[in-house]
């Protein structure tokens, strides 16, 4: 089945054509238009995002169809991110998808943005299939999941405050870097001295119960702020601060993911979301997981927000016979289908 997918939940307008045959989904063509306008504001401005989606969604879809070398007549289903995300931004994609589904009579499916991130690695590596443990780290979310099968997501832990990507972006702002700052921090950190500064590893040692797999990045961010305030030469210290921050964040993410992998007895770790573009994180995870598990990470274009991952998740659900009606709604916060916490399951 060939699926046309749309993603407009934040500041990327993206459309893709994917094809699912024999349980394997391949990407046939994709367009991602990143909205640069937000850069000058230091964060995404929701109203500007909606307007930009509205202006570009049609051409972006045409471009993705062209890249895939196919026409609307060859499309068999429509998948669209319907949450979570910015309400006005989501509305553009959902309204567009509903209109096309109505006009063509094609089946329509709303996809949860985070389920999309989980499917991203399958587009390049068809063996990145459950069972696995997943670390989902984006600008808005930080989640550790056990995935026994597609559609069943056991939430092991999430962040108590800032998301991992949000921490990279906020630390970037402290260091005078443009938004989003994750990639710039990674680049600076590569030249930093790991011993110049030392920051806390939040919720890593001596935690029990509900905090065992939980994350917290806000104290780490405050520790960077204090160091910035104390610095007498920020230009000199910036790479070292970036290095110490990244080392702390990565150490926590790797340790918790590895512990979960052992506890759940899984042999595969999937890294997803924009922060999974961080090669230092992927390398550290691979190193720590040696002899325990393989690590699957999609390439950067599929890790940051894109429609191909929405198409992959949507194609799986559409192939299972799932459909949404024209009452499909865009929602800024929406339940992750199939998500439950182990505590809930055992109670
Ligand atoms: O998944 P994504 O594209 O959007 C959301 O759904 O939030 O993730 C964006 C986040 C931003 O916070 C950005 O700074 C971060 O991913 N990011 C990185 C890197 N590349 C992007 N964080 C750390 N290292 C990177 N190389
Ligand atoms: Zn995302």
């Amino acid at each position: 089945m060939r699926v046309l997918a749309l993603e407009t939940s934040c500041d990327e307008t993206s459309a893709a054509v994917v094809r699912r045959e024999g349980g394997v989904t391949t990407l046939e063509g994709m367009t991602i238009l990143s909205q640069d306008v937000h850069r000058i504001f230091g964060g995404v401005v929701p109203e500007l995002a909606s307007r930009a989606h509205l202006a570009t969604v049609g051409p972006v879809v045409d471009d993705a169809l062209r890249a895939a070398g196919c026409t609307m007549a060859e499309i068999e289903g429509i998948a669209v991110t319907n949450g979570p995300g910015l309400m006005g931004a989501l509305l553009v994609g959902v309204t567009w998808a509903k209109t096309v589904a109505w006009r063509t009579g094609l089946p329509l499916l709303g996809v949860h943005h985070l389920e999309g991130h989980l499917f991203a690695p399958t587009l390049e590596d068809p063996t990145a299939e459950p069972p696995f443990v997943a670390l989902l780290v984006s600008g808005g979310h930080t989640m550790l999941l056990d995935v026994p099968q597609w559609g069943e997501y056991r939430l092991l832990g999430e962040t108590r405050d800032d998301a991992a990507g949000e921490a990279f972006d906020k630390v970037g702002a402290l260091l005078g870097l443009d938004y989003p700052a994750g990639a710039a921090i990674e680049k600076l950190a590569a030249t930093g001295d790991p011993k110049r500064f030392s920051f806390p590893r939040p919720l890593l040692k001596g935690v029990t119960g509900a905090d065992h797999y939980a994350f917290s990045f806000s104290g780490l961010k405050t520790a960077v702020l204090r160091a910035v305030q104390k610095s007498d030469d920020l230009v000199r210290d910036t790479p070292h601060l970036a290095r110490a921050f990244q080392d702390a964040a990565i150490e926590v993410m790797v340790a918790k993911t590895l512990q979960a992998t052992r506890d759940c007895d899984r042999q595969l770790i999937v890294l997803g979301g924009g922060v999974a573009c961080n090669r230092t994180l992927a390398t550290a995870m691979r190193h720590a997981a040696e002899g325990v598990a393989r690590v699957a990470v999609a390439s950067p274009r599929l890790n940051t927000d894109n429609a191909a991952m929405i198409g992959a998740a949507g194609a799986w659900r559409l192939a299972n016979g799932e459909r949404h009606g024209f009452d499909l709604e865009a929602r800024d916060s929406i339940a992750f289908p199939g998500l439950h916490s182990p505590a809930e399951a055992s109670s």
Side-chain angles (χ1 to χ4, degrees):
M1 134 178 272
R2 192 177 264 131
V3 173
L4 173 65
L6 260 178
E7 153 67 39
T8 66
S9 69
C10 193
D11 57 345
E12 257 87 33
T13 317
S14 181
V17 177
V18 302
R19 187 173 189 171
R20 187 176 168 92
E21 295 296 340
V24 175
T25 307
T26 45
L27 173 58
E28 295 194 324
M30 171 157 76
T31 300
I32 306 174
L33 197 65
S34 293
Q35 303 175 354
D36 274 348
V37 60
H38 308 288
R39 215 167 263 274
I40 51 175
F41 296 100
V44 178
V45 184
E47 179 63 23
L48 293 180
S50 323
R51 288 173 191 226
H53 286 307
L54 199 55
T56 55
V57 65
V60 163
V61 169
D62 289 346
D63 203 56
L65 286 166
R66 215 171 10 250
C70 74
T71 63
M72 268 312 290
E74 293 163 89
I75 300 295
E76 294 157 280
I78 314 268
V80 60
T81 309
N82 70 317
L86 302 170
M87 189 58 191
L90 288 162
L91 257 177
V92 176
V94 170
T95 308
W96 193 94
K98 285 204 279 194
T99 309
V100 173
W102 172 75
R103 199 185 67 204
T104 56
L106 290 171
L108 169 74
L109 195 91
V111 174
H112 191 284
H113 181 80
L114 294 178
E115 187 173 45
H117 275 302
L118 283 182
F119 271 80
T122 63
L123 289 160
E124 293 170 324
D125 173 4
T127 68
E129 290 274 318
F132 56 71
V133 159
L135 177 69
L136 267 187
V137 272
S138 71
H141 293 86
T142 300
M143 280 180 164
L144 194 53
L145 300 165
D146 179 38
V147 183
Q149 56 183 355
W150 289 127
E152 188 186 341
Y153 308 112
R154 297 173 60 230
L155 178 64
L156 302 173
E158 55 190 335
T159 183
R160 296 262 178 264
D161 38 60
D162 292 348
E166 191 180 356
F168 272 85
D169 295 336
K170 286 180 175 171
V171 165
L174 294 176
L175 300 179
L177 305 173
D178 278 351
Y179 170 90
I185 289 194
E186 182 178 14
K187 203 165 161 212
L188 273 172
T191 64
D193 176 352
K195 300 214 160 60
R196 279 289 255 292
F197 294 93
S198 176
F199 294 132
R201 271 64 173 153
L203 300 182
L204 189 58
K205 297 261 157 68
V207 288
T208 50
D211 280 341
H212 187 55
Y213 289 129
F215 297 90
S216 166
F217 292 104
S218 117
L220 176 55
K221 176 192 63 192
T222 308
V224 179
L225 171 66
R226 299 270 177 271
V228 167
Q229 287 167 336
K230 270 200 220 147
S231 169
D232 55 5
D233 186 345
L234 199 52
V235 174
R236 179 201 63 207
D237 286 342
T238 293
H240 312 312
L241 289 163
R243 174 64 185 262
F245 160 74
Q246 183 176 265
D247 282 357
I250 288 181
E251 188 177 323
V252 175
M253 291 190 274
V254 167
K256 297 210 178 217
T257 307
L258 207 70
Q259 190 58 50
T261 309
R262 287 206 169 91
D263 292 350
C264 299
D265 196 19
R266 302 299 185 207
Q267 279 79 52
L268 176 65
I269 294 170
V270 164
L271 299 184
V275 182
C277 293
N278 189 299
R279 284 171 176 272
T280 319
L281 169 65
T283 305
M285 194 71 80
R286 287 206 170 99
H287 186 71
E290 245 172 55
V292 178
R294 189 167 68 84
V295 178
V297 195
S299 55
R301 171 172 111 108
L302 294 174
N303 265 331
T304 45
D305 291 349
N306 68 86
M309 67 183 197
I310 302 303
W316 174 75
R317 289 194 175 271
L318 284 164
N320 282 349
E322 285 182 48
R323 307 279 184 267
H324 283 124
F326 295 131
D327 55 352
L328 176 71
E329 282 182 1
R331 292 265 182 86
D332 48 3
S333 122
I334 181 178
F336 195 148
L339 183 79
H340 59 93
S341 63
E344 256 172 49
S346 59
S347 63

